[in-house]
């Protein structure tokens, strides 16, 4: 612990001006505006878009989705809102097709990948040589509204599995959607059942902070109300002298902002009016820092060395660089040896092929020589036969010519 005994406390005798520092921060924050990102998870038809519209008292454009999608995907929309002189850049991410598949084993994977991608995007900006975090659009999820189907019989397996995968990545606020379909008694038992299942499965949900004395009592009471039972509506009716959001049924009217009817006002106050900045800080200081630490450890960086002493970042970097160079050299050597072995194997294959070709060549030469000898013998025989034939032909022709010449001579003698 740092020794502060040598620090003197002084009280200015007059006005200095540093008491305006909070005002300067407020002015700067108002100029830059604020960013808040909400992830809304729930099965198709539970009223995710209606809930967001009710929270921000507006009508965001949204399209209806079918129940026949092959997989889970996310739909992200960014809106710029302004209330008085405060600007808010709101990003709403909704699940599409969540819980509609027969095989729900990997339904959470798309959501986890999206959250990790936003963390990774911020980390890459933070690690740049020339970074501009003040101008960087922060897309990290600050609050996750997990809508629970109002069955009255506890959480489904997909709910437990998904929240277990997300509890160390995002601030989870469980919400019972369309809570007007079950009675108040069933609703209280349902809340107790949900919280007992969350505790039994080791799922950490977001706890409203109680370290600020101004809101400690309020947040402590609200922590006991979780999960919030809400009813959303985009329809307005006239109630007395004002227009209110409500749902009309044949048996009566459910007022969205009536705390006797549902917990919508409590959710809105805790989410937007009281703890919005705490969720942003929790996202940055806890969830993002955990992701950052794990990623840097995967890359080989650590704060402490082998002797448990702090190690500067550049030493970590140089050490990791040397390790990577050694790994590359080892791989290069392995590839070189593998190449040499393959070349030798190829040379031996070529030599064997050459021997086989030579043997085949010699065998074919012998066959050709034998064929040549046979052909020569046959040629000699044919020549001999041809000579004999010519001799016989000459003898025959000579024999035929002799009688003809004698007969002619006799004929001529008679005529004379």
């Amino acid at each position: 612990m740092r020794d502060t005994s040598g620090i003197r406390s002084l009280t200015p005798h007059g006005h200095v001006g540093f008491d305006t520092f909070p005002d300067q921060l407020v002015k700067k924050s108002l100029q830059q505006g604020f960013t808040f990102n909400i992830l809304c998870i729930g099965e198709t038809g539970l009223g995710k878009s209606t809930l967001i519209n009710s929270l921000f008292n507006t009508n965001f454009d949204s399209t209806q989705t079918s129940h026949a999608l092959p997989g889970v995907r996310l739909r992200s929309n960014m809106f710029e809102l302004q209330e008085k002189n405060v600007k808010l850049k709101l990003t709403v991410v909704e699940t599409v097709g969540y819980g509609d598949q027969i095989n729900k084993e990997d339904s959470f994977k798309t959501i986890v990948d999206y959250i990790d991608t936003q963390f990774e995007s911020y980390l890459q900006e933070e690690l740049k040589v020339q970074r501009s975090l003040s101008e960087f659009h922060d897309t990290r999820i600050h609050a996750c509204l997990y809508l629970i189907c109002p069955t009255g019989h506890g959480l489904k397996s997909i709910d437990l599995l998904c929240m277990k995968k997300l509890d160390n990545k995002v601030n989870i606020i469980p919400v019972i959607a369309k809570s007007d379909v079950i009675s108040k008694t069933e609703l209280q038992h349902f809340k107790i059942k949900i919280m007992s299942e969350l505790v039994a499965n080791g799922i950490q949900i977001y706890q409203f902070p109680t370290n600020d004395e101004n809101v400690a009592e309020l947040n402590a009471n609200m922590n006991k109300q979780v999960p919030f039972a809400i009813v959303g509506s985009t329809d307005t009716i006239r109630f007395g002298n004002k227009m209110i959001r409500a749902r009309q049924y044949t048996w009566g009217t459910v007022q969205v902002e009536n705390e006797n009817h549902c917990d919508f006002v409590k959710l809105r106050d805790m989410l937007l009016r009281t703890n919005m900045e705490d969720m942003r800080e929790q996202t940055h200081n806890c969830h993002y820092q955990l992701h950052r630490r794990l990623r840097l450890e995967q890359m080989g960086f650590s704060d402490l060395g082998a002797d448990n002493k702090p190690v500067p970042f550049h030493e970590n970097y140089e050490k990791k660089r040397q390790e990577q160079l050694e790994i590359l050299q080892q791989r290069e050597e392995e590839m070189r040896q593998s190449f040499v072995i393959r070349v030798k194997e190829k040379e031996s294959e070529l030599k064997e092929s050459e021997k086989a070709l030579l043997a085949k060549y010699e065998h074919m030469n012998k066959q050709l020589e034998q064929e040549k000898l046979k052909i020569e013998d046959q040629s000699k025989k044919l020549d001999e036969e041809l000579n004999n034939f010519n001799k016989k032909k000459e003898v025959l022709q000579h024999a035929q010519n002799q009688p003809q010449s004698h007969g002619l001579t006799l004929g001529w003698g008679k005529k004379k």
Side-chain angles (χ1 to χ4, degrees):
M1 186 174 180
R2 185 179 178 184
D3 185 14
T4 59
S5 60
I7 299 177
R8 295 182 299 168
S9 299
L10 298 177
T11 303
H13 296 291
H15 182 264
V16 177
F18 57 80
D19 59 343
T20 63
F21 185 67
D23 297 332
Q24 298 175 32
L25 290 177
V26 171
K27 184 178 179 180
K28 184 177 179 181
S29 298
L30 289 175
Q31 290 176 351
Q32 294 179 347
F34 299 90
T35 301
F36 194 68
N37 306 317
I38 298 178
L39 171 63
C40 200
I41 304 175
E43 298 178 11
T44 305
L46 280 183
K48 299 183 291 295
S49 301
T50 303
L51 173 60
I52 297 299
N53 290 335
S54 302
L55 283 173
F56 293 94
N57 197 26
T58 186
N59 289 317
F60 300 117
D61 294 332
S62 60
T63 56
Q64 297 291 332
T65 57
S66 66
H67 293 269
L69 296 177
V72 180
R73 61 183 180 87
L74 296 176
R75 179 174 58 195
S76 177
N77 294 306
M78 189 184 71
F79 308 96
E80 292 185 358
L81 307 178
Q82 183 169 351
E83 189 174 24
K84 295 183 180 180
N85 60 340
V86 178
K87 297 178 181 179
L88 177 65
K89 188 176 289 185
L90 174 69
T91 301
V92 178
V93 183
E94 299 180 18
T95 57
V96 179
Y98 181 77
D100 291 339
Q101 294 73 36
I102 296 177
N103 184 4
K104 303 177 177 64
E105 183 178 359
D106 295 332
S107 297
F108 63 88
K109 190 176 185 304
T110 304
I111 305 171
V112 172
D113 292 343
Y114 178 83
I115 296 175
D116 288 339
T117 301
Q118 310 317 309
F119 282 152
E120 189 66 24
S121 177
Y122 191 89
L123 177 61
Q124 294 302 321
E125 180 66 25
E126 195 176 46
L127 294 177
K128 286 182 178 179
V129 177
Q130 294 182 350
R131 57 184 182 178
S132 56
L133 293 176
S134 59
E135 300 176 358
F136 179 75
H137 177 50
D138 187 6
T139 56
R140 296 173 297 175
I141 299 299
H142 301 121
C144 173
L145 299 178
Y146 194 96
L147 273 62
I148 300 170
C149 188
T151 59
H153 299 290
L155 295 170
K156 300 179 181 179
S157 299
I158 186 176
D159 300 329
L160 294 171
L161 183 60
C162 184
M163 283 193 275
K164 185 63 177 177
K165 295 292 183 179
L166 295 177
D167 63 352
N168 63 344
K169 297 178 180 294
V170 70
N171 301 316
I172 300 176
I173 302 176
V175 175
I176 301 175
K178 297 184 176 182
S179 61
D180 54 335
V181 302
I182 53 179
S183 65
K184 286 189 175 181
T185 304
E186 292 174 336
L187 185 60
Q188 292 302 320
H189 291 300
F190 191 33
K191 286 187 175 184
I192 296 172
K193 179 70 173 176
I194 289 172
M195 293 306 298
S196 63
E197 289 182 351
L198 292 176
V199 173
N201 289 274
I203 299 173
Q204 300 293 327
I205 63 174
Y206 176 71
Q207 294 292 317
F208 302 117
T210 57
N211 52 2
D212 186 355
E213 59 182 10
N214 295 324
V215 294
E217 184 178 357
L218 175 63
N219 283 344
N221 292 330
M222 290 299 103
N223 284 328
K224 299 177 183 178
Q225 300 292 326
V226 178
F228 294 111
I230 59 96
V231 176
S233 177
T234 56
D235 300 327
T236 57
I237 64 171
R238 181 172 294 279
F239 185 79
N241 296 326
K242 61 180 181 179
M243 302 296 293
I244 62 172
R245 289 180 179 267
R247 297 182 68 88
Q248 286 186 321
Y249 297 95
T250 56
W251 46 263
T253 302
V254 177
Q255 300 176 21
V256 173
E257 298 183 0
N258 189 335
E259 295 189 24
N260 294 323
H261 292 182
C262 67
D263 298 331
F264 173 79
V265 174
K266 298 176 182 177
L267 172 64
R268 184 181 61 188
D269 290 347
M270 292 296 99
L271 182 66
L272 304 178
R273 296 181 179 177
T274 308
N275 301 300
M276 180 183 282
E277 182 57 27
D278 182 76
M279 291 182 186
R280 287 159 46 91
E281 292 180 356
Q282 188 82 359
T283 299
H284 181 77
N285 296 332
C286 294
H287 303 305
Y288 169 70
Q289 293 301 329
L290 175 62
H291 175 85
R292 179 178 178 273
R293 177 173 62 83
L294 294 177
R295 287 288 291 121
L296 291 178
E297 287 179 352
Q298 288 177 1
M299 290 187 286
F301 297 99
S302 61
D303 295 331
L304 300 177
D307 52 356
N308 290 330
K309 292 183 179 180
V311 180
F313 183 82
H314 69 276
E315 292 185 7
N316 269 324
Y317 173 78
E318 189 62 28
K319 180 181 177 182
K320 189 64 180 177
R321 180 173 174 273
Q322 292 297 330
E323 291 177 356
Q324 291 296 327
L325 288 176
E326 292 177 358
I327 293 174
L328 289 175
Q329 291 176 356
Q330 183 179 358
R331 290 181 179 176
E332 184 179 358
E333 184 64 26
E334 291 176 355
M335 292 179 65
R336 185 181 293 110
Q337 293 178 358
S338 176
F339 179 74
V340 171
I341 292 173
R342 292 182 63 183
V343 168
K344 290 182 178 179
E345 291 177 352
K346 199 67 177 178
E347 287 180 350
S348 62
E349 291 178 2
L350 291 173
K351 288 180 179 179
E352 293 294 331
S353 300
E354 186 179 2
K355 290 180 180 178
L357 288 173
L358 288 174
K360 187 176 181 180
Y361 175 75
E362 292 177 356
H363 178 68
M364 292 178 68
N365 272 341
K366 289 181 180 180
Q367 288 181 344
L368 288 173
E369 290 292 335
Q370 292 176 357
E371 291 291 332
K372 184 179 179 181
L373 293 175
K374 289 181 180 179
I375 292 172
E376 288 178 352
D377 292 339
Q378 291 177 358
S379 179
K380 289 179 180 180
K381 291 179 180 180
L382 289 173
D383 289 341
E384 291 177 356
E385 291 178 356
L386 183 61
N387 292 331
N388 293 331
F389 176 77
N390 290 331
K391 287 179 181 180
K392 290 180 179 179
K393 183 179 179 182
E394 290 177 357
V395 172
L396 182 61
Q397 288 179 350
H398 180 72
Q400 291 177 351
N401 290 331
Q402 286 296 330
Q404 291 178 358
S405 60
H406 179 72
L408 290 174
T409 304
L410 291 176
W412 293 335
K414 290 180 178 181
K415 289 181 179 181
K416 288 180 179 179

